[in-house]
Amino acid sequence: MKFYLKLALGNIKKNKKLYSSYFISTIFSIALYFIIKTVGNSPTLKDHDSITMFLNLGGYVIALFSLIFLFYTNSFVIKNRKKEISLYHILGMEKRNVRSMMLLETIVIALISLVSGIVIGMLLSQITSVIILRIIHKSIHFSLIFSIDAFIKTIIIFSIIFFLSLIYNISVVVRSNPIELLKGQNIGEKEPKTKIFLTLLGVIALGAGYYIALSITDPMQAMVLFFVAVILVMIGTYCLFTAGSIALLKFLKSRRNFYYQPTHFTSISGLLYRIKQNAVGLANICILCTCVLVTLSSTICLYKGIQDSIKRQYYMGGTITVTDSDYPDQVYEDVKGLLKNKKYDSLYTLSYYNYTGSLKKNKVHLNDYDYNHLASINLISLEDYNHYFNQNLSLNNNEAYLYSYEGYNDHTISLENIPYTIKGQIKNRQLQANNCFAPNNISIVINQSALNNYKLKSKSYFIGFNASKKVVDEVTTAIIHKDYNYLGNKYYVSIQNSYEDIDVIYELYGSLLFIGIFLSMMFLVAAIVIIYNKQISEGFEDQNKFEILQNVGMSQKEVKQTIQFQVLIFFFVPLIVAIIHLAFAYPLILRIFKGLLQCNENVYLISTTGCIAGLIIIYTIVYLMTSKAYYRIVKR
């Protein structure tokens, strides 16, 4: 056993170029999972249900992605070690001995990765906890975090992943004979045929995904069909990278003036003969880059749009709405009494009829749930407006006053197909009455005699006041516990504490931002590791080819140009396609944001542009590093 352990350690050390990316992948995945589980179990977040819910969901996503990601990285290592393992067989080592050696290698790698990942996770958990508390605008409590539950789950999850990788590695050895293993690195070296069916399937799937993204206008429908579009685009990407890349390379090969140049000849022929391997790698990188761009830009936009959302929805610290009561003034008097001797900015009341409807251009329809033009509509009688705001305005029956949060540019408005001339726009936001949870918010003031032409619902009685968080808490809590049975049999009192709602919004969108950053980091690292593995693997495969080319007269400069051209194609084609995917997804994501009351398109545009610029910079750095590493391997 000591001999096999020594052999296993020697193999890991000898193959450090192959194992470096594997160690980085495993340690990074373990640390990320341990951090998210530790923070999820942190005492400082125990009262924040939405955060812990998203963290637990993020833990499941990271665990599943780690399984796929680490399985890929392991398969890369074993594929490049086939020649070495075959030599052990040829030298007389039996398969059971090789299995013992591989078992010890896996145990050593697992121990190093688990210890390193958990230690790094422990060190970063406290920082991560502070970051998430800052994101959700909560006070920071410093305490050493170590979760036994996170520790046990991390050990179990990644032990299973290492065990499955070991089973796969052993199956490769058991199912293959030494000759097949020796040829393992050269599988897929035949020129592929053009795949018409796969190309058509890719075009149809991608076209269908793009069509959904561009054609859906209903925000609710956009939320439902978003994942359908994602799946179709993923299928189309894999098909087109597999079949379309063959067609593209063969087209370039047919262009004699372009193809028969030292740089292009070597690069295109090399890519063409390894297209089966390259196509899947390119598609994976493209999908991962798209995931990074969509996830990060969307979550940043949601978080950056919080202030706009709060400004739109909450303008009063405390709001109370009374419906179906003959004595609503009593509630107002109670609020007034509770605020007596307390510091507050404003207190007012208003009677109104509230509807959810639609506003399309200058046409208003009540009880119309058209999500593209959804609006919160308040109808207020001129008599009530004059009474509650101490005004003395007048209107004809075909005239109206209007308040609109978003702004209104027309001189007329049609309410249930009855036209009104807008006599003036009122700037007083207190006409908004209720907090707005629709993309559009308007209040229409007309004569009571004109209001009587409509089938009106029960009148609501709104009370709004602004004060400190403590005062709002005290007043709203007192109203909640007050007995109002004398108001009538059907009365309904709705109480809203804006401070509590704002905390919930920060928790919700802050959690999404945090998970978005974590998942984007994982997707980005996965893309970089795939690129690195691919280039290192192909570097070893291309050593002999470039040596032969240099022997027949290719200069070092031409070798460098060939490498740069080949790596450039491998790098930037997936990035360009990912940006195209994001461009087509842009309208669909905006529709979803509209459904979530995130209506500021500039915020998303800036977030998206920033993410694209950041990814291009990171991509360029990795490109420069990888091309140098590839060149160092090839020139030996």
Side-chain angles (χ1 to χ4, degrees), residues 315-535:
Y315 70 101
M316 284 286 156
T319 61
I320 300 163
T321 305
V322 183
T323 55
D324 286 329
S325 172
D326 297 327
Y327 310 100
D329 289 332
Q330 183 57 51
V331 182
Y332 174 73
E333 293 300 325
D334 289 339
V335 173
K336 193 175 180 180
L338 289 166
L339 287 171
K340 191 176 181 180
N341 301 323
K342 297 184 188 304
K343 187 177 180 181
Y344 64 93
D345 295 331
S346 60
L347 170 66
Y348 82 101
T349 183
L350 176 66
S351 291
Y352 68 104
Y353 303 91
N354 177 250
Y355 292 86
T356 298
S358 65
L359 171 63
K360 188 174 182 181
K361 294 184 179 178
N362 69 336
K363 298 183 185 300
V364 175
H365 292 284
L366 307 178
N367 301 315
D368 180 15
Y369 295 90
D370 180 355
Y371 285 100
N372 284 317
H373 307 96
L374 197 66
S376 178
I377 302 156
N378 295 326
L379 302 182
I380 303 164
S381 72
L382 179 66
E383 292 79 359
D384 282 340
Y385 175 78
N386 285 334
H387 169 68
Y388 287 113
F389 292 107
N390 195 26
Q391 298 289 320
N392 191 27
L393 301 179
S394 62
L395 287 170
N396 295 325
N397 277 346
N398 64 341
E399 293 180 327
Y401 284 107
L402 183 79
Y403 163 80
S404 173
Y405 175 81
E406 293 76 18
Y408 189 84
N409 299 320
D410 211 309
H411 297 293
T412 62
I413 192 164
S414 169
L415 177 60
E416 294 286 31
N417 298 319
I418 299 176
Y420 294 90
T421 301
I422 297 174
K423 189 174 182 180
Q425 292 200 35
I426 299 172
K427 303 299 182 182
N428 185 359
R429 195 176 178 186
Q430 290 180 344
L431 260 70
Q432 180 175 314
N434 60 318
N435 292 327
C436 178
F437 294 97
N440 300 295
N441 192 352
I442 61 167
S443 297
I444 303 170
V445 179
I446 55 178
N447 288 323
Q448 184 64 53
S449 57
L451 276 176
N452 292 335
N453 293 326
Y454 303 96
K455 292 180 180 179
L456 299 171
K457 59 166 65 174
S458 299
K459 185 181 283 190
S460 295
Y461 189 84
F462 180 82
I463 304 162
F465 64 97
N466 264 331
S468 67
K469 183 177 182 180
K470 182 181 177 182
V471 171
V472 171
D473 285 340
E474 289 175 359
V475 173
T476 53
T477 302
I479 295 295
I480 287 170
H481 292 96
K482 203 166 182 64
D483 183 8
Y484 285 113
N485 286 326
Y486 64 86
L487 294 180
N489 294 327
K490 296 181 180 179
Y491 85 95
Y492 179 74
V493 177
S494 171
I495 298 170
Q496 193 166 35
N497 183 332
S498 294
Y499 292 104
E500 291 179 355
D501 289 352
I502 290 168
D503 286 344
V504 170
I505 289 175
Y506 268 108
E507 281 190 22
L508 177 63
Y509 291 163
S511 303
L512 286 171
L513 175 63
F514 181 77
I515 296 299
I517 292 170
F518 256 54
L519 293 180
S520 297
M521 285 170 57
M522 189 157 207
F523 295 147
L524 184 58
V525 169
I528 291 170
V529 167
I530 291 171
I531 291 168
Y532 175 81
N533 287 347
K534 201 71 180 162
Q535 294 304 98

Side-chain angles (χ1 to χ4, degrees), residues 2 71 103 182 308 334 432 456 481 492 608 632:
K2 192 178 288 186
F71 209 81
L103 172 62
L182 277 171
D308 184 61
D334 289 339
Q432 180 175 314
L456 299 171
H481 292 96
Y492 179 74
T608 304
R632 281 197 299 268

Side-chain angles (χ1 to χ4, degrees), residues 176-322:
S176 304
N177 59 50
I179 302 302
E180 288 174 340
L181 289 171
L182 277 171
K183 294 180 178 179
Q185 286 177 295
N186 297 319
I187 293 172
E189 289 284 335
K190 295 179 181 179
E191 182 174 338
K193 296 179 180 179
T194 305
K195 301 174 181 179
I196 297 174
F197 173 76
L198 207 59
T199 304
L200 289 174
L201 178 63
V203 170
I204 291 169
L206 197 63
Y210 285 171
Y211 175 78
I212 290 173
L214 295 175
S215 63
I216 299 299
T217 56
D218 188 318
M220 297 299 109
Q221 205 175 5
M223 292 182 191
V224 174
L225 293 176
F226 175 77
F227 292 102
V228 175
V230 167
I231 292 168
L232 286 169
V233 168
M234 287 178 68
I235 292 170
T237 301
Y238 279 108
C239 290
L240 287 178
F241 266 105
T242 302
S245 54
I246 295 171
L248 175 62
L249 290 171
K250 285 195 171 186
F251 170 76
L252 293 175
K253 187 178 178 179
S254 67
R255 310 291 293 181
R256 292 179 175 274
N257 292 336
F258 177 84
Y259 181 65
Y260 288 107
Q261 295 180 25
T263 303
H264 299 162
F265 174 83
T266 310
S267 300
I268 292 170
S269 60
L271 288 169
L272 186 59
Y273 278 87
R274 284 198 303 263
I275 197 61
K276 289 182 181 179
Q277 301 166 21
N278 280 332
V280 176
L282 291 169
N284 286 335
I285 295 164
C286 178
I287 295 298
L288 289 168
C289 288
T290 307
C291 289
V292 170
L293 292 173
V294 171
T295 304
L296 200 56
S297 63
S298 299
T299 50
I300 288 173
C301 176
L302 285 171
Y303 187 75
K304 286 288 185 183
I306 286 178
Q307 287 301 326
D308 184 61
S309 180
I310 288 171
K311 186 179 177 182
R312 163 185 291 275
Q313 296 178 36
Y314 306 102
Y315 70 101
M316 284 286 156
T319 61
I320 300 163
T321 305
V322 183

